[in-house]
Structure formats: structure tokens, C-alpha cells
Amino acid sequence: MTLIAFLGSLEIGLVFALVALGVFISFRIVNFPDLTVDGSFPLGGAVAAAMLVGGWHPLIATIAAFAAGALAGLTTGWLHVKLKIMQLLAGILVMIALYSINLRVMGKPNEPLLDTPTIFSAFSSASVSASWVTPLVLLAITLMVKFALDWYFASEVGLAMRATGGNARMARSVGVSTDRLSLVALALSNGIVALAGALFAQSQGGADVSMGIGTIVIGLAAVIIGETILPGRSIAIATLGCIVGAVLYRMLIAVGLNSDFIGLKAQDLNLVTAILVTIALVMPVSKRYLARRRSAAGAAKKEVSSC
Amino acid sequence: MNRFLRDSLLSLALAGTLAPPVLAADVRVSVTAIVDHPALDAARKGVTDELADAGFVNGKNLKLEYQSAQGNTATAAQIARKFAGDKPNVIVAVSTPSAQTALAATRDIPIVFSAVTDPVAAKLVKSWDATGGNVTGVSDLPSLEKHLAVVRQAMPASKRIGVIYSPGEANSVAAIAELKKLAAPAGITVVEAAAPRTVDVASAAQSLIGKVDVFYEPTDNNVTSAFEALAKVADQGKVPLISADPSVATRGAAIGVGTNYYDLGRQTGKLVVRILKGEAPGKIASQVSTKLEMHVSKSAAQRQGLMLSEDFLKSATKVVD
């Protein structure tokens, strides 16, 4: 892999680290399988791109993208909590609605940002090349989000939110408003995903209405790979796992793109992705199974020897 | 077991960084497309064949690499970075998102786009002229003027044209805007029906029955995927179906008139060869695909109540059944 390809993978990995952090909040913290992200990721890109082209400051455009994503998450939460629509369905409904909304936001299916100032151009200078600036800025933003989440989940509200996902009935019995916290969690999750979408559009040349396809799979893959590489129960480790998982996932894709030497071709990419995620999903289960068998075998041996 | 997975994932990622360098070849051309799909594949084949005819043969004096993003924009971006790092002589980017990510990745390596409808709106080039920079290419902007002429020739009495398209496809949206502009002076109105998903195509077409004299389908990927559904509605409603994709004459269209993507690839290949021979991409103006083909289906025309004259049939490139 060349340095440029490596930095490019790092860059996209860091964007998807934010997606992974968002997905981590919905899937792992409040236990809500949220498919909204396939719509909120392009929503972030659309809002940021439309505002940048409209002459807004990149920072304001990026923050607005976060807010738009949070609103989308709130909508999903509201559909589930207030209207009692199934979690999966609520997410799907908002996701397909966002497709139309994204077209409205941009006014067309594709908004290029190739000659528009972005949040990254503020940091680039003649002395440092763009292929270094973008990953560095993304690393800074990702770490900021990670530490903010670590802090938040250690606070009283954050702990209550974790209790909501862990055992909603128990949480309610000690006076936690689980409905409200689910809404906050989904807003936060989709806000971060939309932020990722905004950064992706700004670093990759533009927003496209189709750019959300598969976001959830990539986010989930990153979360799961992260959990496998960095097992542990603390939030700080888990959020770090999301970042490491996302970057590693992108490196794996880069291997897929450079894998003439193992005989893999361009068309095998999605299959390889699905297999990797399946392996990562099955791992914890088979580990428990093996452990049980081992302890059973150990017990049997003990019995034999005591005879 | 867990450690095994972790180690194998890490070593795979490491293997990527240590991948062996490519064999030293005279010339390197890297091709990327957003998805694998018949028109885009045909364009790619045209490029390869044109290169071969010019003496650049893959595996001999040319290392030709192809990567498909399989519909995923993030992967497209990553492919663009990989190419930027590999430093090929030319990057061929088939489709708008592929070309945009390629340009975001490199401003040095020559990029030749193909099958991009509006390179100026996509901000790949500042104008259709040679404008410096590292980008040139061939657009598949349909010659709507000619399409409209065919529609009027086949159906002189038509006053209302119904268009079925996916609002998410930049190509189609641009085509409709252009069609409206051309149709208005001729006293023809354009009636739209949006089909965001393939399953919406039939009902979108049905909604136009009675409101239009003829169906026109731009090269919309979504509608092309569900073309048979559209053809069925056209048959039932006795509304002639004319498409901007010649190949669908075998799938139920009465007339298919438009770009031949293989020839478009050939035309793209010619630009690649010029750059390989030393011309700067910034000095080559972007082009529009020139070759139009017209395929006519007699049986579909009959089902849809369209009477075609012998002269019209003679002007077709190909008449099926």
C-alpha cells in the first residue's frame, strides 16, 4: 500500500469512526437497532454541502449538519416512543423519508464541493500537504467526540442512559425517564453520524444522495471489530474500540483493493466484508461455547481421576 | 479464538501495507466505476479495446487495473486514494461520483472521465473547453434535440411527453430540465412521474396513462432496471414507449435512440491514448459522445399502437423482430 492510499484509508476510517461512535450509542448503549443512519449520514453531507455552496462558514455548516442529524434521530425516537412503532420500522421509515428530504435540501442529487472552501481548507497551508492535513483534522475531531462521550457516559445522565439500555424496567423503577433518554441517545447518535456525513462530503469532493447506502453495515462492522480487538467493559475502551475498529476495517478494505496477490478481485469486496462481519459476530458465541466445553471436559476428567 | 481473530485481522491489515509493488510495466492505466452495470461495463470495454488498437496491450506493455466501488461512495473514495498513491499514467473514472472522488484525491495525475453527463455541473471541469488542470473526458449527455426529433418524426401529433425517472439520479434530472427547454418552443409539454425505487416504476407509468401521448425514458438506471414493468404499462395503455437507451428495444420499447456506450468507451480510449502519447489533459476539451444509434422494435410498436413508415424503419440502425 502506498502512503497516499494509507492516508486515504486512515481518513475514511476516521470519518467512519464517528459513524461507529454514533452506532455504538444506539446499538450498545440504549439497545436500539437504528437504521436511520443510512439516511442521516447523507443528510449531514447534504446540509453541509448546500450551506457551503450557499456561502456559509464551514464550521457553521458542519454544526448545522449535526443538528439536522439530531433532529432525524429524534424523529425516529418519537415514532417509536410516542407512536409505538417497532424500532426497526421506525428507523426504516425515517431513512426513506430522508432520501426525499436530502434531495430537497440539495435541490439535486449531487452537490460537488471541489472548489468550495471546506472545514479542512482552513487548516491547509503551503507547507503541509492536504493528504496529511485532512486525516489530522479528522483525528482531532474524532478524539474530541470520543472524549466528550466518555465524559458524558460517566455523568449522572449518561449512567442513567446506560441503565436504560441495560435494563429498562430496573431503570424506570429507580426513577429514570427511559423514554426521554432513548430520544436523547438517538438524537446524539444520529447527530454524530450526520457530522461524519458532513466531514465525508467535505473531504471527498461532494455530497451525493446515494452516499448513505451501507452506512449501517460499515458502522456495525467497525463497532464489532473494535469490540473484538479491544475487549473490555469500560466506556473509554469501547469508544476507543470504535475508532480502532473503523480504521482497521478501512485498512481491510484497502487490502481487498490491493489483493491481486491473494486472488481477490474488485467484485469480491462486498462478500469479503460480509464474511468478516459474520466472523466477528460469531466469535463471542463460539468462545463461550468452547469455554463451556472445556470446563465440562475438565469436570469429567476430575471425576475420572477421583474414581 | 478471540485472539486468533484479532491477530488475523491485524496481520491482514499489515499485509496491505506490505503488498508487493506492481510489476514494472511501460504504462499504467487505472480504471474505476461506481458500480458494475451493462452500460458502464461496455464503456470500460471500449476503453480497453481502443488502447489495444493503439498498441497498448494489457499484460504486455500496459498494466490495466480495474476497481469497482460496488455502489458504495466510501469505497469509491478509497479506490481514488489507492490510485492516487499508485501514480498510474492515467486514471479513467467511469460515472460522476467516481470522477469526483478521483479529482478530490489528485490534482496531478491525468483523469479521463467517461459516462459523466454534465462534467461542468459536477465541477470536474470549469467549462467544456480545454481549461487546464488534470481532467478531460467524454460525456454521455444525451442529444435530446435528436431524441425529440425522433419522437416528433415517429409521432407527429404528440403534444404531451410523459417522462418516468428516478429523482435521485443526477443524469435524469438534468435530462428532464433540458427536455423541457427544448419542448416548450415546439408547443410540447413534458409531464413527469417520479419512481424513486424500481417497484415504483409501473405505478408511476400508470399515473400518466391518459395524460400523455408518448412515454420517453431517459437513461435512468432505476427505470432501466425495471424496464419490463414500464413496457407492460405502455402496451396496456397503448402509449408508444421511446427510450434514450438503444438496447431496450429488445426489452419492450418501440424505439431506443441514444448513446452507444461501447463507442463512448472507444472515444474515451482515444483521449487516454493522446495523454499517454504526451498531450496534457488540460489542453484537451471535454467531448460529448457523438455516435447515436436507433433500434426499433416492430412488435412493440404494434402493441403500443405506433404506426411506423418504411422510411422511418430504414433510418434505424437496427430493427428487431
Side-chain angles (χ1 to χ4, degrees):
Chain A
M1 201 192 301
T2 59
L3 182 65
I4 294 177
F6 174 79
L7 289 173
S9 304
L10 183 66
E11 195 179 304
I12 299 161
L14 287 168
V15 168
F16 279 93
L18 289 171
V19 173
L21 287 170
V23 168
F24 174 76
I25 297 171
S26 54
F27 273 83
R28 287 293 186 240
I29 300 280
V30 291
N31 207 7
F32 191 115
D34 179 23
L35 300 182
T36 319
V37 292
D38 270 27
S40 52
F41 184 75
L43 173 68
V47 168
M51 288 182 71
L52 286 171
V53 169
W56 290 81
H57 189 277
L59 193 63
I60 296 175
T62 309
I63 292 169
F66 176 90
L71 207 62
L74 270 183
T75 313
T76 303
W78 179 75
L79 287 178
H80 174 64
V81 168
K82 298 290 180 212
L83 304 187
K84 308 288 175 212
I85 293 172
M86 260 171 71
Q87 293 176 327
L88 276 174
L89 198 54
I92 290 171
L93 286 173
V94 175
M95 175 183 83
I96 66 155
L98 283 174
Y99 183 85
S100 303
I101 292 171
N102 292 340
L103 282 173
R104 280 282 179 183
V105 169
M106 293 194 286
K108 51 188 171 181
N110 181 291
E111 184 68 85
L113 294 173
L114 286 162
D115 53 8
T116 316
T118 65
I119 201 157
F120 301 107
S121 40
F123 295 93
S124 52
S125 63
S127 54
V128 194
S129 102
S131 46
W132 284 99
V133 169
T134 315
L136 283 175
V137 173
L138 282 170
L139 183 66
I141 296 174
T142 308
L143 286 178
M144 263 168 11
V145 172
K146 176 208 156 22
F147 289 126
L149 287 178
D150 291 350
W151 167 82
Y152 181 73
F153 287 121
S155 72
E156 204 169 318
V157 194
L159 286 169
M161 190 181 283
R162 289 164 69 184
T164 301
N167 186 337
R169 186 179 289 182
M170 185 275 287
R172 273 195 294 274
S173 74
V174 293
V176 172
S177 166
T178 54
D179 281 1
R180 204 171 60 207
L181 282 175
S182 296
L183 284 173
V184 173
L186 285 174
L188 192 59
S189 160
N190 283 289
I192 294 172
V193 172
L195 171 69
L199 295 171
F200 184 80
Q202 291 178 69
S203 66
Q204 302 306 333
D208 194 282
V209 74
S210 70
M211 75 186 220
I213 298 168
T215 307
I216 187 66
V217 181
I218 304 176
L220 205 53
V223 169
I224 291 162
I225 293 173
E227 283 171 351
T228 313
I229 305 256
L230 290 173
R233 298 190 67 85
S234 94
I235 286 285
I237 295 290
T239 49
L240 183 65
C242 289
I243 298 173
V244 173
V247 172
L248 199 61
Y249 175 80
R250 278 294 143 192
M251 294 298 164
L252 288 169
I253 297 284
V255 175
L257 295 174
N258 284 287
S259 54
D260 292 350
F261 64 102
I262 357 178
L264 288 173
K265 287 216 172 279
Q267 64 263 34
D268 302 324
L269 206 58
N270 280 3
L271 179 64
V272 171
T273 307
I275 291 173
L276 278 173
V277 177
T278 309
I279 293 174
L281 279 168
V282 169
M283 261 324 142
V285 181
S286 56
K287 196 178 143 200
R288 266 202 302 278
Y289 170 76
L290 279 177
R292 210 179 307 135
R293 262 188 54 177
R294 214 171 288 141
S295 62
K301 211 184 265 170
K302 222 178 255 168
E303 237 165 69
V304 171
S305 61
S306 67
C307 274
Chain B
M1 214 46 179
N2 206 346
R3 188 184 293 158
F4 166 74
L5 173 71
R6 183 177 58 197
D7 290 352
S8 46
L9 285 174
L10 280 171
S11 51
L12 254 174
L14 273 175
T17 46
L18 301 174
V22 288
L23 294 169
D26 296 345
V27 169
R28 252 192 104 145
V29 174
S30 300
V31 186
T32 179
I34 189 74
V35 292
D36 296 289
H37 126 344
L40 301 186
D41 292 351
R44 181 157 58 89
K45 181 154 191 322
V47 173
T48 321
D49 289 357
E50 187 63 37
L51 281 170
D53 284 0
F56 297 100
V57 181
N58 190 19
K60 278 191 187 158
N61 55 349
L62 169 74
K63 161 102 174 122
L64 190 88
E65 189 185 356
Y66 171 60
Q67 296 285 0
S68 154
Q70 310 212 330
N72 190 312
T73 325
T75 309
Q78 212 167 347
I79 290 169
R81 294 311 170 95
K82 172 184 151 45
F83 285 178
D86 291 345
K87 300 208 186 319
N89 299 70
V90 178
I91 294 174
V92 178
V94 186
S95 78
T96 306
S98 296
Q100 281 173 340
T101 46
L103 185 55
T106 176
R107 305 264 167 160
D108 309 315
I109 302 168
I111 297 170
V112 178
F113 62 79
S114 190
V116 169
T117 301
D118 193 342
V120 179
K123 294 201 176 149
L124 295 170
V125 285
K126 289 202 177 67
S127 78
W128 286 87
D129 308 319
T131 49
N134 62 328
V135 184
T136 186
V138 183
S139 149
D140 61 356
L141 185 74
S143 174
L144 289 163
E145 223 164 313
K146 287 182 191 159
H147 293 189
L148 198 61
V150 167
V151 171
R152 301 190 71 192
Q153 212 182 331
M155 295 191 65
S158 60
K159 286 281 162 219
R160 300 164 302 172
I161 299 182
V163 186
I164 298 96
Y165 73 106
S166 158
E169 289 183 32
N171 294 350
S172 309
V173 174
I176 289 170
E178 177 74 13
L179 188 69
K180 278 185 177 164
K181 228 187 287 168
L182 291 168
I188 297 174
T189 46
V190 176
V191 190
E192 303 166 33
R197 297 165 304 158
T198 48
V199 291
D200 301 325
V201 169
S203 50
Q206 260 146 10
S207 75
L208 291 179
I209 295 286
K211 294 182 197 158
V212 298
D213 308 312
V214 58
F215 281 136
Y216 172 75
E217 186 253 336
T219 48
D220 186 287
N221 293 314
N222 205 29
V223 177
T224 308
S225 309
F227 200 82
E228 283 78 6
L230 173 58
K232 212 170 143 193
V233 177
D235 288 355
Q236 284 164 355
K238 290 223 171 290
V239 177
L241 173 56
I242 299 179
S243 169
D245 177 358
S247 72
V248 292
T250 52
R251 293 175 64 192
I255 301 170
V257 57
T259 311
N260 177 317
Y261 276 85
Y262 176 77
D263 286 333
L264 179 122
R266 281 270 182 174
Q267 205 176 334
T268 311
K270 285 199 173 74
L271 295 185
V272 176
V273 170
R274 278 169 71 181
I275 293 167
L276 289 178
K277 288 189 172 160
E279 265 187 78
K283 292 196 171 156
I284 305 175
S286 299
Q287 313 176 343
V288 178
S289 163
T290 43
K291 277 202 189 162
L292 273 191
E293 273 190 18
M294 182 161 83
H295 294 188
V296 177
S297 162
K298 272 186 184 168
S299 61
Q302 200 179 13
R303 285 197 303 274
Q304 293 156 12
L306 180 64
M307 304 295 285
L308 294 172
S309 68
E310 279 304 311
D311 281 352
F312 189 89
L313 287 174
K314 266 187 208 139
S315 69
T317 326
K318 196 168 149 192
V319 178
V320 298
D321 58 66

